[in-house]
Amino acid sequence: MKIRTRSVAGLAALVLALSACGGSDTGGGVVTDEATVDTQEGLVINGEVIADQELYEAAKDQTLTIYTGYQEANQTVVNDAFTADTGIKVEYIRDVTNKLSERILSEHGANKLGADVIITSDYKVANGYDEAGIWDSFVPSSIAEMKDLQHNDGKFVTFANVPVTFAYNTNNIAAEDAPTSWKDLLNPEYKGKIGIVQGTAGGSSIALNRFIQEEVDPDFWTKLAELDPTVYDSGGQRQEALARGELMVATAGTAAVNVAVTKDGAPIEYVVPDEGIVLFSFFAGKASTATNPEAAEVYLNYTLSKRGQDVIRQVGDYSVRSDVAPPEAVGRALPPLDSDQVWVMPATSELEYASADAEIWRDAFGR
């Protein structure tokens, strides 16, 4: 088994201006729908009020800082759309969940937390932030009536539902020979050419581990370990290796594949397996020590609005709102939430199964 590690935290300033006619150009080819923006009395996007005049005036000249575990490519596209639609600048730091959590807790303990908004894929981590006093109570106006998306009395909200499946390099595997089942990944032909990420932290790993136990094979990880997969520290590293042809197959997010194919022409294709794709949630909230609190509120109002959730849908992730259609990725519609091909990880199940399932993964891969 090969192991690849690298720090993926990065800081990027994304500065786009609203066009003079009030429309927007977003997403670098991923987000194809332009928004109708009205700033005459606050911020109204596609007819939905994102911020009143007072909030928008306070926020529009601020630079928002986000600490996020959301996939790098996806986060960039969402930030890009937000800046184009609102004129508010964004900086972000992205890292895998466990490393980002360590940073957030350390900075908070030293009274130096730099985040205005935090996005995490781990429900247990989000709960821990609440216990530590890191969240500020704020329910985005766009989901004020959607109680199922609000957690811990409004301390944090469900931000996006992210599909996990696997993908293959189209230069290495012909479409007619592509795997169609999770169990197909155990094909000896893939020995040394399989990519996965660390299976002991983060919502994607927690959900995938539980899915493997319930729907595929309790011994799947042990069998896969015998094929000498490369274990990456981040999904970005894994996908880059797949796109370069260093791997034949790899676990993958449909949204990340969609961005890579649409923007970069990467020779990869995702699969909706016979057993289904795995769905897990990201959670977001406003930091209690935010130095740009108004921008944070506009960001959360925006990303939970129909426009913001449609951007997430166009990226290739599922909206958390029932009034937004299922996503498409690489020109193909993903199955609806109520399909047998979508396995949803209940957030609270993370607390019940995460530790035991992670131990199974550790036993298989020896780390």
Side-chain angles (χ1 to χ4, degrees):
M1 177 179 62
K2 298 175 284 296
I3 298 172
R4 302 283 178 85
T5 61
R6 182 182 69 188
S7 173
V8 297
L11 187 63
L14 302 174
V15 185
L16 295 173
L18 285 168
S19 66
C21 64
S24 62
D25 178 20
T26 60
V30 176
V31 178
T32 58
D33 295 345
E34 289 191 358
T36 300
V37 180
D38 183 353
T39 59
Q40 294 182 34
E41 297 181 2
L43 179 64
V44 180
I45 300 178
N46 292 349
E48 184 175 357
V49 177
I50 304 300
D52 61 24
Q53 189 72 45
E54 182 180 0
L55 177 60
Y56 184 56
E57 286 298 321
K60 68 181 183 180
D61 294 325
Q62 295 177 350
T63 298
L64 179 73
T65 299
I66 302 171
Y67 283 17
T68 181
Y70 198 37
Q71 294 95 324
E72 183 103 25
N74 308 18
Q75 185 70 63
T76 299
V77 172
V78 172
N79 291 353
D80 219 17
F82 169 75
T83 302
D85 287 351
T86 70
I88 298 173
K89 301 173 185 178
V90 178
E91 296 177 344
Y92 75 95
I93 289 174
R94 195 271 170 190
D95 211 334
V96 293
T97 298
N98 56 343
K99 292 184 179 179
L100 187 66
S101 178
E102 290 175 2
R103 175 175 184 152
I104 289 170
L105 291 170
S106 176
E107 288 187 6
H108 178 71
N111 295 317
K112 294 181 179 180
L113 181 59
D116 298 309
V117 168
I118 298 169
I119 301 171
T120 180
S121 65
D122 193 317
Y123 185 77
K124 183 177 180 180
V125 168
N127 270 318
Y129 292 161
D130 188 10
E131 295 171 2
I134 290 172
W135 297 124
D136 188 16
S137 292
F138 177 73
V139 175
S141 57
S142 42
I143 59 164
E145 304 303 318
M146 303 177 190
K147 303 299 183 183
D148 59 317
L149 302 182
Q150 305 168 24
H151 305 279
N152 295 24
D153 296 322
K155 292 297 181 65
F156 59 98
V157 299
T158 309
F159 170 81
N161 289 323
V162 178
V164 176
T165 181
F166 57 83
Y168 62 95
N169 183 290
T170 56
N171 290 333
N172 291 340
I173 301 176
E176 60 269 23
D177 298 324
T180 61
S181 162
W182 286 95
K183 292 180 181 179
D184 289 346
L185 299 187
L186 300 177
N187 187 332
E189 292 183 9
Y190 301 149
K191 184 177 177 65
K193 294 292 184 177
I194 304 170
I196 62 174
V197 294
Q198 276 276 9
T200 58
S204 61
S205 297
I206 293 169
L208 183 56
N209 286 343
R210 179 86 314 245
F211 171 78
I212 291 297
Q213 293 302 307
E214 292 187 5
E215 304 294 332
V216 182
D217 179 355
D219 296 323
F220 178 85
W221 292 130
T222 299
K223 295 174 181 177
L224 189 70
E226 295 174 357
L227 297 182
D228 193 28
T230 301
V231 180
Y232 294 89
D233 228 18
S234 75
Q237 292 175 283
R238 172 196 58 193
Q239 183 161 283
E240 288 170 9
L242 181 64
R244 288 194 299 265
E246 297 170 10
L247 305 171
M248 296 178 72
V249 294
T251 53
T254 58
V257 171
N258 186 47
V259 172
V261 173
T262 303
K263 296 186 72 173
D264 303 325
I268 54 180
E269 181 63 273
Y270 71 89
V271 176
V272 177
D274 298 336
E275 305 93 338
I277 59 175
V278 181
L279 216 62
F280 71 100
S281 297
F282 274 82
F283 307 95
K286 175 186 173 185
S288 59
T289 54
T291 56
N292 301 287
E294 292 85 6
E297 292 182 9
V298 174
Y299 186 85
L300 291 168
N301 285 344
Y302 173 88
T303 53
L304 273 297
S305 71
K306 287 190 71 174
R307 165 61 175 174
Q309 288 292 298
D310 193 60
V311 169
I312 287 171
R313 178 195 68 81
Q314 291 185 65
V315 168
D317 286 332
Y318 282 81
S319 169
V320 301
R321 296 176 57 132
S322 60
D323 55 357
V324 176
E328 294 184 0
V330 197
R332 291 190 285 140
L334 289 168
L337 280 175
D338 58 0
S339 166
D340 291 340
Q341 288 188 293
V342 177
W343 186 89
V344 182
M345 174 73 174
T348 53
S349 292
E350 295 186 21
L351 303 179
E352 183 176 356
Y353 296 109
S355 296
D357 289 347
E359 194 59 38
I360 292 171
W361 193 93
R362 288 191 189 95
D363 288 344
F365 294 100
R367 54 177 304 184

